[in-house]
Amino acid sequence: MVLHLLFIIFFFPYFPLSKSHPLDPLTPSELTIIQQTIKTSNLFSPTPLTFHYIGLADIDKHVLLSWLSNTSNSPPPRRAFVIARSGHQTHELHVDISTKSIISNTIHTGSSFPLLSLEEQIAASNLPFNYTPFMNSIKKRGLKSSEVVCASSTVGWFGEVKKSKRLVKILCFATGDTVNLYARPLEGISIVVDLDLMEILDYTDRFVVPVPVARGTDYRSKKQKRSFGPRGKPVTVVQPEGKGFSIDGHSISWANWKFHLSYDVRAGAVISLASVQEHDNELHRLVLYKGFMSELFVPYQDPAKEWYFRTFFDAGEYGFGLLAASLQPLTDCPVNAEFLDGYYATQNGSLLMIKNVFCVFERYSGDSAWRHTEHEIPGKIITEVRPEISLVARMVAAVGNYDYVIDWEFKTSGSIKFMVTLTGVLEMKGTSYTHVKQVEKDIDLHGSLLAKNTIGVNHDHFLTYYLDLDIDGYNNSFVKAKMKTIKITDGSSPRKSYWTLVKEIAETEADARIKLEAEPAEYLVVNTNKKTKIGNDVGYRFINHGAMAISLLSDDDYPQIRAGYTKKQLWVTAYNMSEKWAAGLYADQSRGDDTINIWSQRNRVIKNKDIVVWYTLGFHHTPYQEDYPLMPSLSGGFELRPSNFFETNPLIKTMPFNNTHWPKRTNNP
């Protein structure tokens, strides 16, 4: 919701410095070339043309990896994939940037639609202010138009058979003495807008409940009354030897890791070619060919007319990258961070920059990467500790009321940790209730009464990652290592039981649809073509760090049909360059016919093949009063941890820091 406003080599030298990379995001000059090439092609004249997605076209993996093995050859051509609207039709275009030519132009014939542009959402949100019935509704609630702001909401799909129009619903709020507009909804009003005609198609005002008061809802520090609550003392990041990472364009090197960081208007951060070495002077081995946030599904749990449609696909409908926030130095990111900017094309193709769309920094929070104290050797006490210093690549997407902090954390142990932090403000519902005693037992609030006239509505967050893993090579396999209890019945041991691992390699996609914690097991991606010196398959395994929820909606509910993959947290599919978006290329008003669970029904062979893992983090959110008027951060994630990828723990070679670099401890009276 937007406010008014081979021959393939997997040991490869990293891309040479001071050159652009084939996976770099589209530059400002390239974005200009793309929009000029399309606009001057006469394909759409005189019909107005609007751009809804412009991004780097996918490069054939074989071509890119082959080139990386010999960068003296010409790099793959720079091409763009564009989704545009003209004459009430959606066009998919491929543009060759170097030749300034359109390679293909295909009309999308499905029932769903592309990303909403910011400009059309703003225009739609302005319409009610020139609409007499709405102005009357404002007066009825004792408000002035200057105190009201409106925002657009996608409408979803609820079983309509005919191809729909491009519609949004408009949600409106009061501001007054607060900027926390979500705490002051204008409940009871429904407004439907046709985006192509840019006019109001339907309007109802079913009921009036008090608009929650502004007092106490403004979260800005200057609006808080003295005195402030207790807090800790400021903490400063010190790096006495300077930064330990380097950024060349979008290529990043740190410790034993190298990877590429790119911006996409839909996905936000895209991590590519993440490769790691075991020891110095060894070649980097590929782990992750490409990874990004594929979709974010947020269904609210209120079936009322004004709420039932709020089942958002934030990446596919609004654009996770489009809504990326400019990161604030010293608050969003520490003092030792470096920043990268992002560029995208607006609805008319003009250029906009998101300053500081990413930050990259080394993190040390006082934790140890490993430690051991040995007491058992007579006359000795031996202690060895190594600090846990990691590298973080961060972005924040401010999607309506929620802010999502997305961290990709690389560790010298060889792990990649994926963390999501939710914060911001709740989407709240107006009510006549002012105390829980007024709520009869058979009344379902679909949430919690947080303040007078204010309900925080129950909802979910399902964040699905696309992970094209190439563990030390092109062909991988998915392994379920089940923990099986073995009973001892022959008297061979005083023990009665133990557990052991029973490993199964998934043959097809049907074997790799996983509901985590359904049974005790570990899940790995391995390369059976590569072995350690003692014969184990090299691989990586998944470790969950909370956020295990799956969807509780019924299978026949329309939002669930559109997001059928959220019934399981982990899917594995055969690599297909066109299968990138968990809820489909076109998410707005989608019907669930182009999703992970649909692709998986093909039941393709995935054993010793190029495979993609889809990992979904899930949060059920029942609001509490501490979430009001703003929400403290809530985090969850998962980790890719090496499992027989290295011969030994690479941390054994990590040298301790020289303690003379650190400030001396003082005893203050």
Side-chain angles (χ1 to χ4, degrees):
M1 185 165 57
V2 176
L3 288 176
H4 223 56
L5 7 172
L6 71 135
F7 171 59
I8 293 177
I9 297 179
F10 286 83
F11 294 92
F12 51 84
Y14 206 58
F15 194 75
L17 298 178
S18 304
K19 289 186 179 181
S20 61
H21 194 288
L23 295 179
D24 283 352
L26 297 172
T27 65
S29 61
E30 288 177 327
L31 287 166
T32 300
I33 289 171
I34 293 162
Q35 63 101 350
Q36 289 178 347
T37 298
I38 294 174
K39 284 186 172 181
T40 59
S41 67
N42 296 321
L43 288 174
F44 305 102
S45 180
T47 309
L49 174 71
T50 57
F51 294 98
H52 294 264
Y53 175 84
I54 302 179
L56 183 69
D58 288 311
I59 303 170
D60 183 276
K61 184 190 292 190
H62 295 74
V63 172
L64 179 66
L65 291 177
S66 179
W67 176 80
L68 283 170
S69 69
N70 185 3
T71 56
S72 62
N73 293 331
S74 297
R78 294 280 285 177
R79 291 175 177 169
F81 176 62
V82 179
I83 299 177
R85 290 276 297 173
S86 181
H88 295 212
Q89 291 182 320
T90 300
H91 293 257
E92 300 174 5
L93 302 106
H94 284 85
V95 178
D96 189 302
I97 299 171
S98 59
T99 62
K100 301 180 181 179
S101 61
I102 297 175
I103 301 170
S104 64
N105 174 21
T106 304
I107 295 176
H108 168 62
T109 58
S111 301
S112 47
F113 300 104
L115 284 174
L116 278 64
S117 71
L118 292 176
E119 295 85 346
E120 65 186 349
Q121 292 181 72
I122 292 170
S125 299
N126 282 326
L127 290 176
F129 295 93
N130 294 310
Y131 191 71
T132 301
F134 177 71
M135 300 306 291
N136 292 336
S137 294
I138 290 177
K139 292 178 183 177
K140 194 189 319 184
R141 288 162 173 79
L143 299 169
K144 301 175 183 178
S145 60
S146 60
E147 299 176 286
V148 175
V149 295
C150 294
S152 64
S153 169
T154 50
V155 300
W157 170 73
F158 293 90
E160 300 88 351
V161 177
K162 292 177 61 178
K163 181 178 174 66
S164 179
K165 301 175 181 178
R166 289 187 70 230
L167 305 176
V168 292
K169 294 194 176 184
I170 305 300
L171 313 177
C172 297
F173 312 86
T175 53
D177 295 328
T178 182
V179 296
N180 192 348
L181 58 130
Y182 295 101
R184 305 193 71 206
L186 273 58
E187 207 62 52
I189 297 173
S190 294
I191 309 171
V192 180
V193 170
D194 186 316
L195 286 178
D196 289 328
L197 299 177
M198 201 51 70
E199 64 181 33
I200 293 175
L201 296 186
D202 185 66
Y203 183 87
T204 58
D205 187 353
R206 290 201 307 141
F207 58 88
V208 176
V209 295
V211 177
V213 298
R215 186 177 60 255
T217 64
D218 201 311
Y219 43 77
R220 293 174 293 177
S221 61
K222 64 183 180 182
K223 291 291 185 177
Q224 309 311 310
K225 294 181 179 180
R226 306 293 181 185
S227 65
F228 287 100
R231 65 169 175 84
K233 299 295 185 182
V235 176
T236 301
V237 176
V238 177
Q239 290 193 278
E241 296 181 1
K243 295 173 183 175
F245 64 94
S246 63
I247 302 178
D248 184 68
H250 290 266
S251 298
I252 300 173
S253 299
W254 172 78
N256 52 347
W257 280 102
K258 295 179 184 288
F259 62 93
H260 185 274
L261 172 62
S262 181
Y263 168 82
D264 179 81
V265 73
R266 178 166 177 172
V270 180
I271 301 289
S272 301
L273 303 176
S275 59
V276 66
Q277 61 182 170
E278 188 163 4
H279 303 303
D280 287 345
N281 302 318
E282 293 185 356
L283 291 172
H284 284 76
R285 298 157 65 192
L286 190 59
V287 175
L288 176 67
Y289 177 77
K290 183 179 289 186
F292 54 86
M293 182 73 70
S294 178
E295 193 53 83
L296 170 52
F297 175 49
V298 186
Y300 282 80
Q301 305 299 316
D302 191 326
K305 179 178 180 180
E306 294 78 18
W307 279 83
Y308 75 90
F309 55 88
R310 302 189 199 195
T311 54
F312 306 116
F313 290 83
D314 285 337
E317 294 174 338
Y318 297 105
F320 211 58
L322 183 64
L323 300 179
S326 292
L327 300 175
Q328 305 301 305
L330 306 182
T331 51
D332 283 318
C333 309
V335 67
N336 61 329
E338 290 193 22
F339 295 85
L340 289 83
D341 301 328
Y343 298 89
Y344 70 90
T346 64
Q347 178 176 280
N348 66 7
S350 59
L351 187 70
L352 279 183
M353 178 182 76
I354 303 177
K355 186 173 179 58
N356 297 349
V357 71
F358 303 134
C359 70
V360 180
F361 59 92
E362 287 170 291
R363 170 189 282 161
Y364 173 58
S365 60
D367 297 325
S368 58
W370 67 270
R371 77 170 325 280
H372 180 60
T373 297
E374 182 57 67
H375 297 279
E376 301 303 325
I377 300 175
K380 294 183 179 180
I381 297 178
I382 301 168
T383 297
E384 285 284 318
V385 185
R386 300 292 184 272
E388 174 76 286
I389 297 177
S390 58
L391 186 76
V392 177
R394 171 175 294 170
M395 72 160 284
V396 174
V399 189
N401 55 304
Y402 265 100
D403 289 43
Y404 296 89
V405 183
I406 308 298
D407 282 356
W408 300 70
E409 184 175 3
F410 295 84
K411 297 176 178 288
T412 50
S413 63
S415 286
I416 307 175
K417 192 174 180 180
F418 307 79
M419 290 299 295
V420 174
T421 299
L422 288 63
T423 183
V425 297
L426 295 173
E427 190 158 340
M428 289 167 261
K429 180 178 180 177
T431 179
S432 59
Y433 298 118
T434 60
H435 195 281
V436 292
K437 289 183 178 180
Q438 299 168 346
V439 184
E440 298 178 9
K441 289 185 178 180
D442 59 344
I443 298 296
D444 190 343
L445 295 182
H446 310 291
S448 306
L449 191 67
L450 304 179
K452 291 181 178 181
N453 308 120
T454 305
I455 294 172
V457 178
N458 297 333
H459 58 282
D460 298 320
H461 304 262
F462 297 107
L463 302 99
T464 301
Y465 283 82
Y466 170 101
L467 301 171
D468 181 4
L469 296 170
D470 286 341
I471 305 297
D472 206 13
Y474 187 77
N475 291 332
N476 288 176
S477 297
F478 180 71
V479 173
K480 294 181 283 187
K482 298 181 180 180
M483 298 175 183
K484 183 179 179 180
T485 300
I486 305 296
K487 293 284 288 182
I488 302 174
T489 59
D490 60 1
S492 59
S493 170
R495 292 277 298 274
K496 299 295 183 181
S497 65
Y498 64 93
W499 64 263
T500 190
L501 286 180
V502 178
K503 296 183 179 180
E504 300 176 359
I505 294 182
E507 298 280 346
T508 65
E509 291 172 322
D511 300 326
R513 304 165 186 165
I514 305 299
K515 184 181 293 186
L516 298 178
E517 295 192 340
E519 57 183 343
E522 292 187 341
Y523 302 99
L524 307 90
V525 173
V526 303
N527 186 338
T528 58
N529 309 294
K530 299 286 182 68
K531 310 287 184 183
T532 62
K533 290 178 180 178
I534 62 171
N536 288 312
D537 297 332
V538 303
Y540 268 72
R541 72 186 187 274
F542 292 91
I543 298 175
N544 195 278
H545 294 284
M548 296 281 287
I550 61 172
S551 178
L552 301 178
L553 300 178
S554 63
D555 290 342
D556 62 347
D557 195 4
Y558 295 106
Q560 186 58 48
I561 293 171
R562 299 175 69 207
Y565 55 90
T566 56
K567 288 288 186 178
K568 295 179 172 62
Q569 297 100 332
L570 201 155
W571 301 74
V572 182
T573 60
Y575 173 78
N576 184 320
M577 195 161 61
S578 67
E579 296 174 359
K580 295 173 54 178
W581 309 109
L585 176 59
Y586 297 98
D588 183 28
Q589 299 183 54
S590 61
R591 302 188 176 191
D593 53 2
D594 184 27
T595 59
I596 302 169
N597 49 304
I598 297 299
W599 307 330
S600 178
Q601 290 178 15
R602 300 171 190 170
N603 208 22
R604 294 163 290 192
V605 174
I606 58 172
K607 181 179 180 180
N608 199 28
K609 297 289 185 181
D610 193 2
I611 58 177
V612 174
V613 177
W614 308 81
Y615 198 106
T616 297
L617 298 175
F619 300 81
H620 296 311
H621 190 174
T622 301
Y624 292 90
Q625 285 184 239
E626 289 80 4
D627 294 327
Y628 174 88
L630 75 164
M631 180 187 160
S633 60
L634 173 66
S635 299
F638 66 98
E639 182 179 344
L640 268 175
R641 180 173 292 189
S643 303
N644 299 326
F645 187 84
F646 300 121
E647 294 297 333
T648 62
N649 185 348
L651 294 177
I652 193 71
K653 292 289 188 178
T654 304
M655 293 300 294
F657 286 134
N658 184 344
N659 290 334
T660 60
H661 284 158
W662 300 99
K664 299 296 184 182
R665 180 182 296 177
T666 60
N667 295 318
N668 294 322

